[in-house]
Amino acid sequence: MQDFHFHNPTRVIFGRNKSIEAGETVIQFGYQALLVYGRESIKESGLYQSVTNSLRAAGAEVVDHGGVQPNPTIAHVREGVEKAKSRKLEVILAVGGGSVMDEAKAIAAGATAECDPWRFFSLGQKPERALPVITVPTLAATGSEMNGNAVITNTETRQKLGMFSPLLYPKVSILDPSLTLRVPPNHTAYGLADIFSHILEPYFNGADPVTPVQDRLAEGLFQSLFDIAPRLRQNPSDYPARADMLWASTVALNGILAAGRGKTHWDVHLLAHSLGALFNAPHGGALAVIIPGWMARNAQKRPAKFDQFANRVMGAKAAEEGIAGLKEWFRGIGAPVSLGELGIKESDIPAIVENVMDTGGGGKYTQRADIEQIMRLSL
Ligand code: NZQ
Ligand code: ZN
């Protein structure tokens, strides 16, 4: 195990109907609030009304910033920054999935900066300040509710890039599993695949190969996802299963699994981001498609770890059987398992390879030749 600092400052409020505490939580950080949300779901469920009621009851003044789309764009971030600056807003409340939470963070950084917010993504420029962000996730998937990451797409340059700043950890996250009861089956499947990937990448791609405590934590979480998925297939409104899934999403990417592993390489995510940038592929769906091919390509590079995964996680004898079992699990939960299911053709592979290389390369374990081969294995 390598030396590490671990500090996660996000305060978590977890429980049924806790979203009614949004207003009183927000005013602890300011009375002039930007409410960031997506397209239809928040209004269809009545959540928009209850959150705005809660904000007004607490005395907050609310500026609306709806219409965040999956794979959120820098153009929409810029609109939010403009609202925050011109209205001198003090706090940002994100109510939605990972896209909404990420856009809220990008606006929080941009609202206190002179520069264009894309510089945080394209040039790695670090924000010096940020407005406080409160999140109320409505989808269990990304872990954005308890980390300092944001991922934004530039549709002009066709790049999907991430940033991290300790300033962007949400001050408070209200995790209310009842908000996730109506998430449709496809997004539940994408969420499970995304959570799986957040456990998987540090497991395989951490610099330090000897991390037995972290491995056992990860293996327990993998098993939890295997347990949650059939409960939700049977009954999508199973509150305890939704609560387990929401907490799994939060724990999977709040830093605890990566601590002590040394630098983690997010190779699979880099590939998935190109599918998001080029084809607007849903993040978790892209991961489910790529992971088995990525594993097949990498199994020989770290055979002991892939055998460990096969044995302990998949109950399989060897790596190949474990990978096949995982692909079947993705298929069984309703996630796509081929590029074709995302509308991506073999003839698109050269453009994917170029996009990955243009946006920083495939990562430590995934070079140019690997990317093409992984995409072929994912057809
Ligand atoms: O726009 P609305 O109508 O709200 O619909 C959304 C959207 O279409 C819908 N939805 C959300 N909550 C719902 C709901 N539908 C019914 N009931 C609800 N309660 O779900 C759709 C997808 O939403 P989105 O926010 O895009 O999904 P997700 O949470 O998977 O977020 C994906 C984004 O997060 C980034 C991804 O790259 C992608 O851009 N990630 C962020 C990370 C982070 N900040 O740490 C890490 C991840 O690896 C990931 O990269
Ligand atoms: Zn992810």
Side-chain angles (χ1 to χ4, degrees), residues 37-42 44-45 47 67-72 95-102 105 137-145 147-153 160 179-184 187 190-191 194 197-198 253 266 269 273 282-284 287:
Y37 58 93
R39 298 160 307 166
E40 295 93 23
S41 74
I42 186 176
E44 284 170 4
S45 65
L47 180 61
V68 176
Q69 64 182 64
N71 294 321
V95 183
S99 296
V100 168
M101 293 187 278
D102 284 7
K105 292 176 183 176
T138 61
L139 192 70
T142 62
S144 186
E145 61 272 15
N147 68 43
N149 304 326
V151 186
I152 297 294
T153 296
K160 180 172 177 179
L179 303 182
T180 67
L181 294 174
R182 288 158 46 108
V183 172
H187 283 291
Y190 304 152
D194 193 21
S197 75
H198 297 159
L253 201 55
W266 293 87
H269 272 72
H273 288 342
H283 176 65
L287 290 162

Side-chain angles (χ1 to χ4, degrees), residues 52-73:
T52 49
N53 287 349
S54 153
L55 286 162
R56 296 208 170 96
E61 284 185 33
V62 186
V63 175
D64 245 36
H65 187 61
V68 176
Q69 64 182 64
N71 294 321
T73 66

Side-chain angles (χ1 to χ4, degrees), residues 184-205:
N186 59 341
H187 283 291
T188 300
Y190 304 152
L192 286 166
D194 193 21
I195 300 167
F196 200 96
S197 75
H198 297 159
I199 309 165
L200 182 124
E201 294 235 52
Y203 189 84
F204 285 117
N205 293 341

Side-chain angles (χ1 to χ4, degrees), residues 6 13 137 318 332-333 367:
F6 177 73
I13 300 171
I333 64 171
Q367 307 298 314

Side-chain angles (χ1 to χ4, degrees), residues 31-275:
Y31 281 84
Q32 309 293 323
L34 185 72
L35 174 60
V36 183
Y37 58 93
R39 298 160 307 166
E40 295 93 23
S41 74
I42 186 176
K43 292 198 171 158
E44 284 170 4
S45 65
L47 180 61
Y48 177 82
Q49 203 55 50
S50 70
V51 165
T52 49
N53 287 349
S54 153
L55 286 162
R56 296 208 170 96
E61 284 185 33
V62 186
V63 175
D64 245 36
H65 187 61
V68 176
Q69 64 182 64
N71 294 321
T73 66
I74 193 67
H76 203 253
V77 168
R78 289 182 182 123
E79 289 174 25
V81 168
E82 176 52 33
K83 287 178 191 172
K85 282 185 170 173
S86 63
R87 306 285 289 267
K88 297 191 170 35
L89 301 180
E90 299 165 315
V91 53
I92 304 201
L93 173 63
V95 183
S99 296
V100 168
M101 293 187 278
D102 284 7
E103 178 157 332
K105 292 176 183 176
I107 295 170
T112 52
E114 297 294 318
C115 68
D116 180 75
W118 184 242
R119 294 174 72 91
F120 299 132
F121 297 88
S122 63
L123 300 176
Q125 188 169 319
K126 292 290 176 192
E128 289 171 12
R129 292 177 303 281
L131 292 181
V133 175
I134 315 295
T135 67
V136 181
T138 61
L139 192 70
T142 62
S144 186
E145 61 272 15
M146 202 176 178
N147 68 43
N149 304 326
V151 186
I152 297 294
T153 296
N154 186 325
T155 52
E156 285 167 22
T157 61
R158 305 187 88 189
Q159 290 171 304
K160 180 172 177 179
L161 299 174
M163 72 176 286
F164 167 82
S165 166
L167 300 170
L168 298 183
Y169 282 86
K171 298 290 181 203
V172 184
S173 275
I174 302 178
L175 308 188
D176 180 346
S178 61
L179 303 182
T180 67
L181 294 174
R182 288 158 46 108
V183 172
N186 59 341
H187 283 291
T188 300
Y190 304 152
L192 286 166
D194 193 21
I195 300 167
F196 200 96
S197 75
H198 297 159
I199 309 165
L200 182 124
E201 294 235 52
Y203 189 84
F204 285 117
N205 293 341
D208 194 324
V210 188
T211 48
V213 173
Q214 290 87 337
D215 285 3
R216 287 297 191 188
L217 280 172
E219 288 155 4
L221 276 169
F222 285 135
Q223 295 299 340
S224 299
L225 297 181
F226 294 158
D227 172 52
I228 291 164
R231 290 156 67 198
L232 289 176
R233 287 289 270 185
Q234 200 183 355
N235 176 13
S237 303
D238 180 337
Y239 178 89
R242 289 288 185 189
D244 289 342
M245 184 173 168
L246 185 54
W247 188 228
S249 87
T250 306
V251 173
L253 201 55
N254 72 353
I256 196 83
L257 294 183
R261 290 187 183 277
K263 184 170 171 48
T264 287
H265 298 272
W266 293 87
D267 293 28
V268 185
H269 272 72
L270 291 171
L271 304 186
H273 288 342
S274 282
L275 302 190

